[in-house]
Amino acid sequence: MTKEEQNLRKEEEYDDDEEEKEADLRGDVLESILCRVPLIHLLPASHVSKAWNYAVFSSLRHFNKPKPWLIVHAQSSRHPYAITALAYDPRSNLWLRINQKPPIDYVSALRSSNSSLLYMLSISKFSFSVDPLHLTWHHVDPPLVWRTDPIVAMVGRQVIIAGGTFDFEDDPLSVEIYDLDTRRWDACEFMPAILKDSAASTWLSVAANTKNIYIMEQVSGITYSFDPISRIWSGPFDLRRDQDIYFSVIGISDDNLIMVGLLGNSDNLKDVKVWKLKSESFQLCKEMGVMPKELVDKLRGEHLSLNSIKISLMGDFLYIYNPDEPEDMVVCEINCEKLRRWGSLKNAAVSDRSRVAERMAITCAEVGLGDLGKAVGSGKGRFSIVNDGISHWL
């Protein structure tokens, strides 16, 4: 046997050994192992071989599916106003650091809306991002009317900006729509007159599905919907079936409107409840569940009173937090018509060195292996583990 033949035989034997080792880990055994591996580590695992690639995606389909990430964007109060991003992945129960390259350019104060939209608005520019990891930004001309605290939402290929005007000469109820295809702003029908004294994101909660945006006055509960195609406002709607609600906010889960309400009063918080609202007129209102008392105490924080809450919602995961004390966040997993379980989550962005940040913008997004692959492949994003997430569920 020649030396070349000997080398060829060794290579064949090596390949056979590797196939045997790989075969030992095929099927349910490999998939059951992979279902315990953090999502960010499944990306390189999917490139090991065709068999591993199949096992990775099979484990994500059948054993441990991807779950919506909570992403906390912390903006420093010091020049150059750097923005850091930390993400909680409930599938892996880990906090991750997202290293963005290049860093997000500073335009103005960073804000979030409708769980998935991140934006900055200045007198010279409107910048916004809607991709899950916010690695791609659109930079366009500002609205025709200067605004400091508007409500912002996106439906399809249109961004709606309403209220929040700065100049007394401008109508506080003015509405504009930016079309991503035509790349221009258009003015449309004003907001309902009853919202004149509260037409700003400070006082209104906004949610958007595939067809409409919904705005709720957080104190009174008065709610309206807006169709960006017909450009018509509908309402008012009375969503509060419980007269004890003193503050409420809304979000969207699988195209259904979800309302979270505080009951009692700010000095005597009795309960935090969640409702699902269906039909165009919201006549079908179902109470989904009540937050456990020990989590209500965490939400309240060190203070005896609780004036307001904010939520971030995507798919089956609802995150609730106190904007004045965001260190402890409450997580709720939705199961069809009921709330499956509750948990408490330490906000890693607060305990991190980014505690000096004066502003936090929180988003929620469906993040899959494809999103991670695009981020890493483009060089725009890298991920590292910070710490564990929820210690226990209730």
Side-chain angles (χ1 to χ4, degrees):
M1 182 180 293
T2 66
K3 187 173 182 180
E4 183 177 345
E5 289 175 333
Q6 290 177 343
N7 291 334
L8 182 62
R9 184 172 180 180
K10 288 180 179 179
E11 289 179 5
E12 290 175 347
E13 289 176 350
Y14 176 80
D15 290 340
D16 290 340
D17 290 341
E18 288 301 305
E19 288 181 4
E20 287 178 7
K21 291 177 182 177
E22 191 174 284
D24 292 338
L25 285 175
R26 284 178 183 171
D28 292 344
V29 175
L30 177 56
E31 291 177 16
S32 63
I33 294 173
L34 292 174
C35 78
R36 294 173 171 82
V37 176
L39 191 66
I40 59 170
H41 293 158
L42 287 181
L43 185 61
S46 67
H47 296 293
V48 171
S49 67
K50 289 183 178 180
W52 275 59
N53 181 274
Y54 175 85
V56 166
F57 283 95
S58 180
S59 70
L60 290 174
R61 282 194 303 269
H62 304 296
F63 289 92
N64 193 358
K65 298 179 181 180
K67 297 174 182 177
W69 285 20
L70 176 79
I71 307 178
V72 181
H73 312 265
Q75 186 177 43
S76 174
S77 60
R78 302 170 184 170
H79 184 78
Y81 311 106
I83 298 171
T84 59
L86 293 172
Y88 172 66
D89 173 13
R91 177 196 174 274
S92 310
N93 193 30
L94 292 172
W95 277 100
L96 311 167
R97 187 182 304 281
I98 305 176
N99 298 303
Q100 297 171 315
K101 293 185 177 181
I104 299 173
D105 292 331
Y106 172 76
V107 174
S108 63
L110 187 68
R111 300 173 183 268
S112 60
S113 175
N114 189 36
S115 295
S116 59
L117 177 63
L118 203 61
Y119 68 93
M120 292 181 281
L121 176 62
S122 73
I123 199 168
S124 61
K125 186 186 295 185
F126 176 54
S127 301
F128 62 97
S129 174
V130 292
D131 65 285
L133 295 171
H134 301 290
L135 300 177
T136 301
W137 283 78
H138 303 267
H139 304 284
V140 304
D141 291 334
L144 304 175
V145 176
W146 168 231
R147 308 161 188 273
T148 57
D149 187 26
I151 61 167
V152 183
M154 188 167 186
V155 178
R157 300 278 295 171
Q158 296 181 312
V159 179
I160 300 96
I161 290 188
T165 56
F166 175 75
D167 198 319
F168 289 112
E169 295 180 1
D170 295 320
D171 195 301
L173 300 172
S174 65
V175 180
E176 295 177 68
I177 295 180
Y178 180 81
D179 191 296
L180 271 72
D181 296 320
T182 63
R183 298 184 180 182
R184 71 177 189 182
W185 290 96
D186 287 320
C188 52
E189 183 180 346
F190 286 5
M191 299 171 71
I194 196 173
L195 298 175
K196 184 176 182 179
D197 295 328
S198 58
S201 64
T202 302
W203 312 109
L204 298 175
S205 177
V206 59
N209 59 16
T210 55
K211 296 180 180 179
N212 302 305
I213 70 167
Y214 304 90
I215 59 171
M216 169 184 278
E217 195 176 61
Q218 296 170 141
V219 175
S220 71
I222 295 174
T223 303
Y224 288 85
S225 66
F226 177 74
D227 184 337
I229 296 179
S230 67
R231 304 197 172 185
I232 295 175
W233 289 91
S234 300
F237 303 106
D238 181 13
L239 307 188
R240 293 182 175 179
R241 300 297 186 265
D242 195 319
Q243 298 302 313
D244 286 338
I245 300 174
Y246 69 89
F247 186 91
S248 56
V249 289
I250 52 176
I252 296 289
S253 173
D254 297 329
D255 238 24
N256 293 309
L257 196 64
I258 301 295
M259 179 175 71
V260 182
L262 305 180
L263 283 73
N265 58 63
S266 59
D267 294 323
N268 183 23
L269 176 61
K270 296 179 180 178
D271 282 310
V272 179
K273 292 186 178 182
V274 182
W275 292 265
K276 176 181 284 189
L277 303 121
K278 297 182 179 180
S279 80
E280 293 185 1
S281 61
F282 306 114
Q283 293 301 312
L284 299 176
C285 179
K286 179 180 176 60
E287 183 180 312
M288 302 182 71
V290 183
M291 183 184 293
K293 293 295 184 183
E294 63 181 271
L295 296 183
V296 173
D297 292 337
K298 283 184 174 292
L299 195 63
R300 187 186 289 112
E302 297 179 357
H303 301 288
L304 296 177
S305 62
L306 181 62
N307 296 312
S308 66
I309 56 170
K310 288 189 176 183
I311 65 171
S312 196
L313 172 62
M314 183 67 67
D316 295 335
F317 275 77
L318 167 64
Y319 299 89
I320 308 171
Y321 60 99
N322 179 350
D324 294 327
E325 293 192 31
E327 184 172 357
D328 286 297
M329 311 182 78
V330 175
V331 187
C332 177
E333 189 172 359
I334 301 171
N335 183 16
C336 296
E337 300 296 318
K338 296 182 179 181
L339 304 181
R340 183 185 171 199
R341 56 181 182 171
W342 294 86
S344 177
L345 178 67
K346 284 288 184 183
N347 186 343
V350 173
S351 57
D352 188 66
R353 62 183 176 86
S354 57
R355 179 184 291 273
V356 296
E358 287 188 342
R359 181 179 296 275
M360 285 190 185
I362 297 179
T363 58
C364 197
E366 301 277 5
V367 178
L369 213 56
D371 299 304
L372 298 182
K374 289 179 182 178
V376 174
S378 66
K380 290 184 176 181
R382 295 175 58 192
F383 308 87
S384 57
I385 295 176
V386 177
N387 55 41
D388 291 337
I390 297 174
S391 57
H392 71 283
W393 290 88
L394 299 182

